[in-house]
Amino acid sequence: MSETFFGKSVKRREDARLLTGKGAFVDDLKIPFTTHAAFVRSPHAHAKINKIDLTAAKAMKGVIAIYTGKDLKDSGVKPIPVGWLLPGIKVPAHYPLAVDKVRHMGDAVALVIAETVYIARDAAELVEVDYQVLPALSDGAEALKKGAPTVHDEAPDNVCFRWALGDKAATDKAFTTAHKIVKQSFRNHRLIPNAIEPRACLASANAGTGETTLWVTSQNPHVHRLIMAAFVLGIPEHKLRVISQDVGGGFGSKIFIYPEECAVTWASRALSRPIKWTSDRREAFLTDAHGRDHHTEAEIALSAEGNFLGLRVKTVANLGAYLTLFAPAVPTYLYGTLLTGTYKTPAIHVDVTGVFTHTTPVDAYRGAGRPEATYLIERLVDLSAKALGMDPLEIRRKNLLTSDQFPYQTPVALLYDSGNYQGALDKALTMFDYPGFRKEQAAARKEGRYLGVGFSTYVEACGLAPSQVAGALGAQAGLYESATVRVHPTGKVTVFTGSHSHGQGHETTFAQVAADELQVPMEDVEIVHGDTGIVPFGMGSYGSRSGPVGTAAIHMGAQKIKEKAKKIAAHLLEANEKDVVYEGGKFFVKGTPGVSKSFFDVSLMAYLAHNLPKGLEPGLEAISFFDPGNFVFPFGTHICMVEVERSTGVVKVLRYVAVDDLGRVINPMIVDGMVHGGILQGVSQALYEHAEYDENAQLITGSMMNYVVPKADDFIGVELARTETPTPVNPLGIKGAGETGTIASTPAVANAVMDALSPFGIQHIDMPLTPGRIWEALRGRKEA
Amino acid sequence: MASVTITVNGTPQTREIETRVLLVHFLRDTLGLTGTHVGCDTSQCGACTVTLDGMAVKSCSLFAVQADGRSVGTIEGVAKEGKLNAMQEGFWQEHGLQCGFCTPGMIMAACALIERNPKPTDHEVRVGLEGNMCRCTGYTNIVKAVQTAAAATAAGKR
Ligand code: FES
Ligand code: FES
């Protein structure tokens, strides 16, 4: 098939509205007689709710209603369920509003509805909650200690689950034969997503029809509808419509079904009034699901020649106070399964304990489990090189899987689809002169300047699949994607996709795919997403699945359209269907392009139905569900060059080179953009971002003043290139691009900083590598 | 309550408002100009950036009454007669936006930046935009967009 649009950097059609202030973000929407919500939140991390006094708040002019957790529970509201269950997992009830106890700072205890936001917030301050403050804990490792405060009675030892993967005996054996064992404990610290658009919802219940519409900042509106309707609020699914049109970034944080949208939807139905709630940034810090937060002990067994023989990993994952939608999957199936990395390590065993603490729930944040795995592996690789006196590149070359090994069955369950890891590394080295750098580094050291280089030769897993396997492993949902391709009588096309765009540019890229497949101009294709009222079904976007899964569904739908159209065309051409071809937007009998029927002719006839093949239904529309047979595995090499200032500990990134293999790429400009953003998010974990709690589990980095969201002058421009190894998993050969940057970059930066610090005998510092931490590590040290 | 007259995108707007209403809420809720966004509560993100008498300001950090008698420019007033200005074109061309939430504020700040400094270096662009956060783009393409716009403006293309 000829491709006109695939592979082209087509300018984005969504930009026309976003550049002119005409976007429709949830908080922009206005419905007459809308009321406004504010939540009363716990200032304590752990407390018993003795009494809630609403008298003063209710007396305020403009207050319409105030509800507590008890009101919701008594009216039949159920806890928010978990979407991934592991064997033996403890799932404590998570009600939209806390009932007897609060378990993290910011836990909501009451909902105020008022005529204006200003009144709602003033009234929320007048709600008097009598708390009995209880001891609290914030650290995952502390949670396991004897005598630690208990978060949930169901899990007296704070253990939510224990999970293991890999061949323990084989791994233990590898360690007995090792020439050297390198051990390191790692802290993969907690992050706060900070999409620039705060979460928001607007619920509008129609008492006349019994229907409720919810506009919400969601990455997966159908999942929102299903869970809120069937599990939390008991609304018949067809009576709830969920719309997420323009969404201002997600990075995972807008996947989950949050207490606020459940409570607001319930209240709108109770009052028969529209209710809007928009999070402020302070609430976002306290309630948007956080990311990462692991304590890990890892060791790698090495041969004298530098081969990786075995890897043993023990991780404690802090899950926060409650389990959110995918929380159990993130530190297990999205983490342990990726510990092979790009290497031939034959034996791996991983053991993960998920624990509750009195902190904000932790769930998928850009990369979700794969950044944690990649950081650990890539750091261990560098530490191994050091221990053996090898070059970090040499040890990588020795252990990288080779392109003739694919498909490759890893020792931790995954089957890698395709790859050429050496190819990406080679290409990166054409962009970065490594020998030249080592000379420059040596010269700089003589002047008291400390340069470092860090590599990350990574692989990651996107487009979690297939549904059947995921189901067997505990997923409570399918992991396919749907697309409905509707051809109108005039040959114009509307594609309804279950994927969701919150910055990815689907309205453009999906139109590129559909227009190519149907051989129509791009402007004849409209992409519709984010509305359960018009899109039949969808699983939404997370885990870089829109490219590998979402577009494949569109591709399938387009094939069905062409099949039916060909039947009609053959009939009109009075030809045998087998002889008819479709080329350049025309159907004709092979060899006689002069006599043809256009896409328009056929579409029109499909709806006129005056002359259709016998027995063929009128209309031209197809719905498809693509359920991939496997994950897809993007990979690549990132190289980071830094300078560390001896006197201050300040790290400056001097160059950042990334070669990614994302399979085939629909729109290079858009993919580059995603990689740019992803890289900064990963760099920022290495250098800047850190969610910190104090000894009372109070979040002390609760605003943009003390949690670093990187700004333009915190980073430099990145240098990108790609190699292209298509995946056989989906028809378009796409591997997914949304998270690679974040997954790959963190260890590249950390490795570079450690390389710069190596003259001082420093091997490892936990992230974030802030000036303070580096300065502390350097204190009193002399260059060796 | 107070009566204010603020010229917004060239049109004088007179309204009775509570004195505690922030300029950004006046724009969004009173005038319905929802292109100006709110991304934080500590004057850090810059999503609310507008111009006040030509200077880029954070409209979440001003009361509407402080803008009384003055002139405010928002993203809705940047394109003239349906024609995007050089900065909007630059952002489109260079893919300087993804989710688009930071974009209106970013464009207002960037327009003011190149007005002050018509030929900025990349570093000057980065420093000049440090009051505006973007979580999607990693800023690489935003810097390119501003440079493209600066070059187009200098060449007098628009
Ligand atoms: S809303 Fe963030 S600076 Fe104004
Ligand atoms: S484009 Fe999403 S925050 Fe800037």
Side-chain angles (χ1 to χ4, degrees):
Chain A
M1 195 203 71
S2 65
E3 284 172 341
T4 314
F5 305 108
F6 197 105
K8 300 242 162 70
S9 290
V10 178
K11 273 168 63 178
R12 300 202 319 173
R13 38 173 69 170
E14 35 278 88
D15 292 2
R17 64 175 185 274
L18 297 172
L19 285 166
T20 50
K22 297 196 189 87
F25 297 93
V26 175
D27 192 58
D28 299 343
L29 306 173
K30 301 246 177 322
I31 302 181
F33 307 111
T34 292
T35 64
H36 298 268
F39 287 88
V40 178
R41 298 188 182 278
S42 170
H44 310 293
H46 190 198
K48 200 167 159 303
I49 302 170
N50 287 332
K51 191 168 166 278
I52 303 179
D53 185 351
L54 305 177
T55 326
K58 277 196 168 161
M60 205 168 153
K61 193 163 168 275
V63 171
I64 298 163
I66 306 181
Y67 301 108
T68 64
K70 191 172 176 312
D71 295 329
L72 266 66
K73 193 178 172 194
D74 289 351
S75 84
V77 173
K78 298 279 184 300
I80 305 168
V82 177
W84 199 297
L85 299 176
L86 300 168
I89 191 171
K90 307 269 174 50
V91 183
H94 182 200
Y95 284 99
L97 297 178
V99 180
D100 304 314
K101 262 187 173 183
V102 287
R103 292 185 172 84
H104 69 89
M105 184 185 174
D107 214 354
V109 296
L111 165 61
V112 179
I113 313 292
E115 296 293 350
T116 71
V117 193
Y118 286 74
I119 297 171
R121 293 191 170 203
D122 285 348
E125 292 201 354
L126 294 181
V127 171
E128 278 182 43
V129 186
D130 174 14
Y131 292 105
Q132 181 188 333
V133 179
L134 300 168
L137 72 104
S138 63
D139 183 83
E142 295 292 317
L144 290 171
K145 295 207 173 132
K146 268 216 161 52
T150 292
V151 182
H152 294 281
D153 296 342
E154 299 91 315
D157 54 358
N158 294 320
V159 172
C160 171
F161 63 80
R162 289 184 194 278
W163 178 90
L165 183 68
D167 186 335
K168 186 158 190 316
T171 309
D172 289 346
K173 192 156 162 254
F175 277 83
T176 61
T177 60
H179 165 74
K180 230 188 186 108
I181 294 172
V182 172
K183 277 188 207 199
Q184 183 64 51
S185 52
F186 295 101
R187 181 84 175 93
N188 201 304
H189 58 292
R190 181 183 283 241
L191 302 177
I192 303 179
N194 276 301
I196 303 297
E197 179 204 25
R199 287 192 293 119
C201 61
L202 168 61
S204 178
N206 182 328
T209 62
E211 280 169 16
T212 302
T213 304
L214 170 67
W215 289 264
V216 62
T217 47
S218 170
Q219 297 178 216
N220 30 240
H222 288 86
V223 178
H224 257 84
R225 180 181 65 168
L226 175 62
I227 289 181
M228 286 179 69
F231 297 96
V232 185
L233 300 180
I235 306 171
E237 199 177 351
H238 63 299
K239 294 284 195 187
L240 178 62
R241 177 176 181 183
V242 177
I243 304 176
S244 310
Q245 202 196 339
D246 285 324
V247 174
F251 317 112
S253 69
K254 291 170 181 168
I255 297 172
F256 320 114
I257 316 309
Y258 284 97
E260 291 84 3
E261 51 245 28
C262 296
V264 164
T265 304
W266 174 85
S268 173
R269 289 164 60 84
L271 296 169
S272 293
R273 295 270 312 258
I275 304 175
K276 186 192 271 188
W277 170 75
T278 302
S279 168
D280 60 27
R281 184 56 55 183
R282 188 185 144 72
E283 288 179 293
F285 271 94
L286 291 171
T287 64
D288 290 4
H290 293 180
R292 322 282 190 253
D293 205 343
H294 288 189
H295 287 269
T296 294
E297 298 293 331
E299 47 188 338
I300 185 163
L302 303 166
S303 77
E305 300 75 41
N307 293 311
F308 305 155
L309 304 175
L311 174 65
R312 207 151 41 195
V313 175
K314 253 180 145 42
T315 293
V316 176
N318 187 346
L319 304 167
Y322 306 100
L323 289 176
T324 47
L325 199 59
F326 288 135
V330 174
T332 54
Y333 286 107
L334 295 176
Y335 165 70
T337 52
L338 207 72
L339 288 169
T340 303
T342 46
Y343 307 106
K344 294 173 197 159
T345 321
I348 299 175
H349 187 261
V350 49
D351 189 310
V352 180
T353 306
V355 300
F356 294 114
T357 61
H358 297 104
T359 60
T360 300
V362 177
D363 206 315
Y365 166 60
R366 202 169 193 172
R370 292 101 85 208
E372 294 91 314
T374 306
Y375 172 71
L376 183 146
I377 302 162
E378 292 299 307
R379 284 294 298 127
L380 276 179
V381 169
D382 269 34
L383 289 166
S384 300
K386 259 260 120 69
L388 294 172
M390 287 173 76
D391 184 274
L393 263 186
E394 186 192 348
I395 201 166
R396 282 183 168 78
R397 290 242 192 245
K398 196 176 245 325
N399 288 282
L400 282 179
L401 289 162
T402 51
S403 50
D404 55 359
Q405 287 180 282
F406 295 94
Y408 178 75
Q409 178 61 57
T410 74
V412 274
L414 295 179
L415 181 75
Y416 289 173
D417 55 352
S418 60
N420 178 5
Y421 301 162
Q422 313 273 354
L425 174 58
D426 289 341
K427 186 153 187 177
L429 291 172
T430 62
M431 298 162 69
F432 186 86
D433 172 11
Y434 184 54
F437 168 78
R438 287 295 180 201
K439 279 188 209 127
E440 186 184 345
Q441 182 182 43
R445 273 180 196 168
K446 291 205 186 101
E447 298 163 14
R449 286 175 54 234
Y450 297 91
L451 305 181
V453 67
F455 293 92
S456 171
T457 42
Y458 76 99
V459 63
E460 66 119 335
C462 315
L464 181 55
S467 298
Q468 201 187 352
V469 173
L473 299 179
Q476 304 296 299
L479 288 161
Y480 48 79
E481 194 46 273
S482 91
T484 301
V485 180
R486 177 176 300 162
V487 181
H488 303 284
T490 53
K492 310 284 182 202
V493 180
T494 306
V495 176
F496 303 88
T497 171
S499 294
H500 186 271
S501 180
H502 29 280
Q504 296 90 332
H506 295 169
E507 289 165 43
T508 306
T509 53
F510 286 16
Q512 287 178 253
V513 169
D516 268 350
E517 289 303 324
L518 296 171
Q519 302 176 29
V520 297
M522 244 186 94
E523 58 267 25
D524 285 4
V525 181
E526 188 73 19
I527 302 294
V528 175
H529 71 103
D531 185 344
T532 66
I534 46 181
V535 177
F537 199 70
M539 295 308 299
S541 292
Y542 39 83
S544 305
R545 62 195 308 279
S546 304
V549 192
T551 60
I554 295 173
H555 181 270
M556 280 171 71
Q559 306 317 311
K560 289 188 190 171
I561 293 291
K562 285 193 285 191
E563 272 167 43
K564 182 168 180 182
K566 196 183 257 186
K567 283 193 171 66
I568 298 171
H571 183 72
L572 296 178
L573 292 165
E574 297 178 358
N576 190 326
E577 193 192 326
K578 284 199 238 26
D579 301 329
V580 172
V581 292
Y582 183 49
E583 275 173 34
K586 288 190 175 357
F587 295 91
F588 53 88
V589 175
K590 214 177 290 162
T592 54
V595 186
S596 67
K597 292 288 166 193
S598 68
F599 192 69
F600 169 83
D601 298 334
V602 172
S603 306
L604 188 62
M605 186 51 71
Y607 286 93
L608 287 175
H610 294 167
N611 186 13
L612 290 180
K614 211 170 155 99
L616 194 76
E617 283 177 40
L620 196 52
E621 174 165 329
I623 181 161
S624 288
F625 288 77
F626 179 68
D627 194 353
N630 192 3
F631 288 82
V632 288
F633 298 89
F635 60 90
T637 293
H638 286 209
I639 306 177
C640 178
M641 173 177 163
V642 301
E643 175 165 357
V644 180
E645 206 175 75
R646 170 73 178 92
S647 54
T648 59
V650 169
V651 176
K652 237 172 115 178
V653 178
L654 301 179
R655 275 188 75 190
Y656 198 98
V657 171
V659 175
D660 298 297
D661 194 315
L662 312 168
R664 297 183 70 230
V665 166
I666 303 170
N667 184 320
M669 171 190 83
I670 287 177
V671 165
D672 284 353
M674 280 195 258
V675 174
H676 292 153
I679 288 173
L680 180 53
Q681 261 166 316
V683 169
S684 180
Q685 166 165 28
L687 297 180
Y688 309 125
E689 295 180 44
H690 189 194
E692 288 181 271
Y693 286 89
D694 72 6
E695 65 282 3
N696 298 316
Q698 293 278 317
L699 181 67
I700 52 178
T701 52
S703 84
M704 284 172 167
M705 297 202 284
N706 38 31
Y707 182 95
V708 182
V709 175
K711 306 191 186 98
D713 60 347
D714 288 325
F715 196 48
I716 50 159
V718 298
E719 302 158 58
L720 297 188
R722 274 190 282 278
T723 58
E724 190 178 296
T725 310
T727 177
V729 172
N730 59 64
L732 294 166
I734 296 170
K735 285 200 169 198
E739 295 162 296
T740 54
T742 314
I743 290 165
S745 58
T746 309
V749 177
N751 283 341
V753 174
M754 294 314 136
D755 184 48
L757 295 177
S758 62
F760 301 94
I762 294 169
Q763 301 242 356
H764 181 77
I765 306 172
D766 274 330
M767 303 181 291
L769 301 168
T770 56
R773 285 189 177 197
I774 292 174
W775 185 82
E776 194 62 45
L778 280 169
R779 203 151 72 150
R781 284 197 191 242
K782 289 233 163 33
E783 212 174 320
Chain B
M1 298 295 275
S3 174
V4 292
T5 300
I6 305 174
T7 301
V8 179
N9 299 329
T11 309
Q13 303 279 3
T14 303
R15 296 288 191 284
E16 285 285 313
I17 54 165
E18 264 189 87
T19 51
R20 66 169 171 173
V21 168
L22 298 174
L23 178 58
V24 67
H25 291 147
F26 176 77
L27 294 170
R28 289 178 56 80
D29 301 334
T30 309
L31 301 184
L33 295 171
T34 54
T36 303
H37 297 152
V38 179
C40 75
D41 38 25
T42 49
S43 296
Q44 241 99 28
C45 76
C48 62
T49 306
V50 299
T51 56
L52 184 66
D53 295 334
M55 285 257 299
V57 296
K58 291 178 173 176
S59 62
C60 72
S61 310
L62 286 171
F63 293 112
V65 290
Q66 292 175 282
D68 189 23
R70 303 175 71 177
S71 179
V72 170
T74 74
I75 188 69
E76 286 89 348
V78 172
K80 297 275 181 277
E81 289 152 17
K83 199 166 162 52
L84 300 186
N85 86 343
M87 192 57 69
Q88 290 168 314
E89 286 289 357
F91 270 70
W92 201 346
Q93 182 71 39
E94 303 293 348
H95 188 35
L97 65 156
Q98 290 179 34
C99 78
F101 193 80
C102 72
T103 311
M106 200 64 86
I107 287 179
M108 298 313 288
C111 287
L113 169 76
I114 64 164
E115 192 130 318
R116 267 197 325 273
N117 181 359
K119 276 186 81 175
T121 63
D122 284 1
H123 182 69
E124 284 168 345
V125 173
R126 287 181 181 272
V127 172
L129 292 179
E130 64 143 27
N132 292 70
M133 288 174 179
C134 174
R135 195 60 157 163
C136 298
T137 63
Y139 304 103
T140 296
N141 286 348
I142 288 180
V143 174
K144 283 191 208 158
V146 176
Q147 293 295 17
T148 299
T153 307
K157 281 203 197 118
R158 301 162 189 277

